Structures are given as structure tokens and as C-alpha cells.
């Protein structure tokens, strides 16, 4: 399987990417997949100009001549796209959002109404077999609402992706927290194996991956240095 990983953390030592790497280890355990990792922060991807030049050309490319066209080509070849990024202001970091905005060359102006009443643009190519997985880490402990906006955006943009939202991810880069971080990394590895076998993650697995490493009060106390 061709896997495209869009790493949206701007950091060299990304908390979130440690989870994604563990997932990839599991994914590749029994079968070797062709994994292409794009560190988006190192790419030259300008914001969308909103010119809709792509909808005139309809060739799957953007009129801006930068690294996004290479990313679009990789996207079209991929069977699985993993969006790996930290939660920034309840959404994705702006450099990754620029990549997402500039996937509109892959859709047409033509609108279609879905059974549930939602309206979408028709895809330029058949993406019905493309799998999408979102792995998002964040700095807050688990609280209702922190990931709500992101979940809605991902559902509307990617169809029905698997979304894994992980609280307290800064613990992954704290050596003293290895006792709780290592088991979570192991769970991500098993999840990668599960995904490799089934092209899916069960609700039980997602719940396990999203379970906070430590209780909310304890996490807040540690962050506050109390
Ligand atoms: C600009 C900015 C905005 C952030 N917004 C949120 C947020 O809305 N919710 C949250 O829980 N954490 C937020 N965080 C914390 C990051 O998600 C957190 O530090 C994460 O672990 C960083 O992951 P990374 O190491 O993979 O980049 C924000 C961090 C930054 C720098």
C-alpha cells in the first residue's frame, strides 16, 4: 500500500509524530508498505489565493508553482493519507491548513447533494478507495469540546476518516513520563498492525488510543509546577 504521511508539526521532536511513528512501525510489521513522509514545515506551500484557476485548468494542479503540486501528485497516488499534526487553536497548524486548502485542485466546481442533505463538490478523480487517518496530539488534558471543531472539519473535508485525538501529548517527550508514554506508544504500534490487516481501526482501539495517560487533575498540577 502506498502511504502518504503529512507531518504538520513544525517541531523536530514532535510529540504527535512519535505516535505516528509508532503507528507506522505497526503498519509495516507484517507487510512492508511504501511510506512517503512529507515534513510540511520544510516545504514551500503558499496560502491559497482563492483565484479558482485550478477549476479552469482542471488538471489536478494549482496555478501557484511551489511544492504543493508535488504534494498533490503524491496525494493522488496514495492509498492511505495520514494527517499527523498538533492541535493549534482547535484546528490544524496554518502551514498544514495551507496544504489542505490547496487540495481544491482535486475537486470540481460542480456541487452534489448527499443523502444527508450536505453539499459537496464533485471529486476530479475517483478517491472512493482512498483511506484517510488523522492523528492529532494536543497540550490540554481531556475535556469536552477541545477537539470538536477539528472533528467536524475533518469529517467534512475527508468524508469519513478515522480520527484519533490524543490529549496530554507533551508527556511523550518527558523522560520521567515514560512509564505512561511507552504503553501508549505500544498501543499505537498495535493499532498500526490492526490497520494493516483490516484497513480500519475499531471503536475500541480508538478509545484506547484517546484515553488520557494520566488523570486530568494530575496533569494540570504537573503543567502548573504544583
Ligand atoms: C499556537 C499553538 C496553539 C495551540 N492550540 C492548542 C489547542 O487549541 N488545544 C490544545 O489542547 N493544545 C494546543 N496547543 C498545544 C499543542 O497541541 C501541544 O503542545 C502538542 O503536544 C504539540 O505537538 P507536537 O510536538 O507534535 O508539535 C497549541 C500549541 C501552539 C504552539
Amino acid at each position: 500500500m502506498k502511504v502518504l504521511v503529512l507531518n504538520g508539526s513544525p517541531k523536530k521532536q514532535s510529540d504527535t509524530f512519535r505516535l505516528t511513528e509508532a503507528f507506522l512501525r505497526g503498519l509495516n510489521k507484517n507487510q512492508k508498505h511504501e511510506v512517503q513522509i512529507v515534513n510540511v514545515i520544510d516545504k514551500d506551500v503558499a496560502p491559497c489565493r482563492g483565484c479558482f484557476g485550478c477549476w479552469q485548468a482542471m488538471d489536478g494542479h494549482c496555478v501557484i508553482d511551489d511544492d504543493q503540486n508535488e504534494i498533490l501528485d503524491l496525494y493522488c497516488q496514495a492509498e492511505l493519507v495520514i494527517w499527523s499534526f498538533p492541535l493549534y487553536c482547535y484546528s490544524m497548524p496554518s502551514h498544514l491548513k495551507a496544504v489542505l486548502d490547496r487540495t481544491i485542485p482535486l475537486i470540481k466546481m460542480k456541487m452534489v447533494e448527499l443523502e444527508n442533505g450536505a453539499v459537496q463538490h464533485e471529486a476530479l478523480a475517483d478517491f472512493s478507495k482512498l483511506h484517510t487517518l488523522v492523528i492529532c496530539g494536543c497540550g490540554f488534558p481531556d475535556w469536552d469540546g477541545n477537539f470538536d471543531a477539528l472533528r467536524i472539519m475533518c469529517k467534512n473535508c475527508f468524508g469519513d476518516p478515522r480520527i484519533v485525538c490524543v490529549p496530554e501529548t507533551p508527556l511523550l517527550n518527558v523522560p520521567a513520563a515514560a512509564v505512561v508514554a511507552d504503553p501508549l506508544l505500544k498501543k499505537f504500534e498495535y493499532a498500526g498492525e490492526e490497520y494493516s490487516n483490516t484497513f480500519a481501526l475499531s471503536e475500541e482501539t480508538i478509545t484506547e488510543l484517546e484515553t488520557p495517560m494520566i488523570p486530568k487533575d494530575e496533569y494540570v498540577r504537573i503543567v502548573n509546577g504544583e
Side-chain angles (χ1 to χ4, degrees):
M1 170 165 65
K2 282 193 172 183
V3 183
L4 170 63
V5 183
L6 295 170
N7 173 20
S9 174
K11 291 159 56 184
K12 287 278 173 249
Q13 303 283 330
S14 160
D15 309 323
T16 315
F17 201 65
R18 285 200 67 197
L19 299 172
T20 304
E21 280 176 322
F23 183 88
L24 291 171
R25 269 197 304 280
L27 192 76
N28 277 322
K29 193 167 174 190
N30 298 319
Q31 326 171 28
K32 292 282 166 269
H33 298 284
E34 202 182 308
V35 179
Q36 172 96 41
I37 298 169
V38 174
N39 295 316
V40 173
I41 195 69
D42 296 333
K43 296 290 175 186
D44 174 26
V45 179
C48 176
R49 290 180 193 154
C51 68
F52 294 110
C54 53
W55 286 0
Q56 305 293 319
M58 296 258 274
D59 62 357
H61 288 118
C62 179
V63 297
I64 306 173
D65 184 17
D66 63 12
D67 292 339
Q68 179 68 6
N69 282 329
E70 188 192 318
I71 294 175
L72 288 173
D73 289 342
L74 293 171
Y75 193 96
C76 290
Q77 290 155 19
E79 292 157 278
L80 167 63
V81 176
I82 301 178
W83 296 77
S84 169
F85 57 90
L87 191 68
Y88 273 15
C89 300
Y90 313 105
S91 182
M92 54 173 64
S94 54
H95 49 278
L96 186 65
K97 180 63 165 45
V99 169
L100 177 60
D101 291 348
R102 287 183 56 203
T103 55
I104 70 157
L106 304 180
I107 54 176
K108 302 176 194 167
M109 188 159 93
K110 184 180 173 192
M111 294 180 188
V112 284
E113 189 175 349
L114 308 183
E115 273 175 19
N116 65 2
V119 177
Q120 285 186 345
H121 290 284
E122 199 170 86
L124 191 69
D126 180 10
F127 290 106
S128 60
K129 293 195 178 60
L130 175 66
H131 300 273
T132 302
L133 173 66
V134 174
I135 299 177
C136 179
C138 85
F140 278 142
D142 194 30
W143 61 272
D144 283 349
N146 195 22
F147 287 110
D148 284 4
L150 178 80
R151 287 184 191 280
I152 292 170
M153 183 181 78
C154 291
K155 194 165 175 290
N156 287 339
C157 289
F158 306 131
D160 192 16
R162 296 284 85 189
I163 307 176
V164 183
C165 296
V166 185
E168 305 174 350
T169 43
L171 289 175
L172 289 158
N173 276 315
V174 176
V179 64
V180 290
D182 288 351
L184 180 64
L185 290 166
K186 210 69 208 156
K187 284 181 195 166
F188 267 82
E189 205 173 313
Y190 292 141
E193 258 184 275
E194 177 182 329
Y195 197 93
S196 183
N197 295 333
T198 59
F199 283 106
L201 291 178
S202 68
E203 288 306 323
E204 293 73 29
T205 298
I206 292 179
T207 303
E208 280 215 345
L209 301 179
E210 294 186 340
T211 300
M213 285 171 270
I214 58 176
K216 189 190 218 168
D217 296 355
E218 195 185 330
Y219 180 79
V220 172
R221 267 202 311 277
I222 292 171
V223 171
N224 293 347
E226 292 163 3

